[in-house]
Amino acid sequence: MMKRTITLAAVAGAALLAAQLPASANSSTALLRLRGGLTLEIPNSWRVYGTADQVRVVTGACARPKGGYFQPRCDSFWVMGPKALKTGGEGFRRYDPTQGPFYPASDVAPCATNPKYGQVIGKAIAVGYRNIGVAHKAHYRVWPGRCVTYSGGEQKSTFKQREWYLPQSKILVIDQWATPGLATILKNATWDN
């Protein structure tokens, strides 16, 4: 079987690793194996970084792909696990999609598109369920975000934070960049178990 090397966060390990991934049936994609037996078929051009519990999939331009969650100017989405969820709510509370978005901070974090501004996330504008593969329903939320000046709170731009949360598997997918095709990739995911 043909193999392709891409950078992959070893979800079971604690450091960034290079791993061999099996090629998918489509030569322009690769399979990204994540925790809990979840596998996503992603474009070869996307790069994967992270540690045991926080995986960043870079889908375009990115100033610092190995930066932390609030690292701005990085077209990407995140896949978070149980450890990140323990402090993933605002004020470092446990993440709960019914209580608010993933926001592991107690102050105004930098806006994803421009660190000159802070981000403010409002009440969910879409609430429901979406399939991640067959027979795995995720809690789905879309949170409207605003990028505002730190002095005065003047709005400069907007974004939407989409979240897919699988409570049984303790997996959360977060996208602030409206990643093209991500919803379809998640819908077509496969599971080992």
Side-chain angles (χ1 to χ4, degrees):
M1 178 184 225
M2 203 170 120
K3 301 273 185 179
R4 242 181 231 115
T5 302
I6 69 170
T7 306
L8 170 67
V11 176
L16 183 64
L17 307 173
Q20 295 288 323
L21 291 181
S24 69
N26 181 341
S27 64
S28 65
T29 63
L31 300 178
L32 172 60
R33 296 190 191 285
L34 298 162
R35 62 178 286 97
L38 174 61
T39 300
L40 305 178
E41 187 172 351
I42 62 172
N44 279 334
S45 60
W46 293 3
R47 296 292 171 244
V48 182
Y49 301 88
T51 60
D53 204 56
Q54 299 183 19
V55 176
R56 174 180 242 165
V57 181
V58 176
T59 62
C62 186
R64 291 189 53 219
K66 294 180 186 176
Y69 177 71
F70 287 116
Q71 182 65 48
R73 293 188 174 131
C74 186
D75 293 2
S76 59
F77 66 91
W78 286 88
V79 181
M80 301 294 190
K83 187 175 176 184
L85 296 175
K86 284 183 182 177
T87 57
E90 187 170 2
F92 302 104
R93 294 180 325 227
R94 180 173 295 280
Y95 172 79
D96 179 344
T98 66
Q99 299 298 309
F102 186 82
Y103 194 88
S106 58
D107 57 358
V108 178
C111 183
T113 57
N114 188 333
K116 255 177 38 176
Y117 307 119
Q119 66 173 282
V120 178
I121 299 180
K123 185 177 178 181
I125 56 174
V127 176
Y129 294 92
R130 299 287 189 275
N131 284 336
I132 295 185
V134 175
H136 288 81
K137 288 238 185 260
H139 294 266
Y140 178 74
R141 303 277 190 282
V142 177
W143 307 91
R146 299 181 304 121
C147 297
V148 300
T149 60
Y150 284 103
S151 59
E154 180 186 350
Q155 181 174 305
K156 295 296 186 175
S157 62
T158 62
F159 65 93
K160 291 179 180 159
Q161 180 166 312
R162 300 185 301 169
E163 297 181 356
W164 294 259
Y165 177 54
L166 294 156
Q168 298 293 83
S169 307
K170 302 277 190 275
I171 296 171
L172 173 65
V173 178
I174 309 152
D175 178 32
Q176 291 183 327
W177 288 92
T179 303
L182 179 58
T184 300
I185 288 169
L186 293 172
K187 184 179 177 182
N188 294 328
T190 58
W191 295 85
D192 289 345
N193 47 13

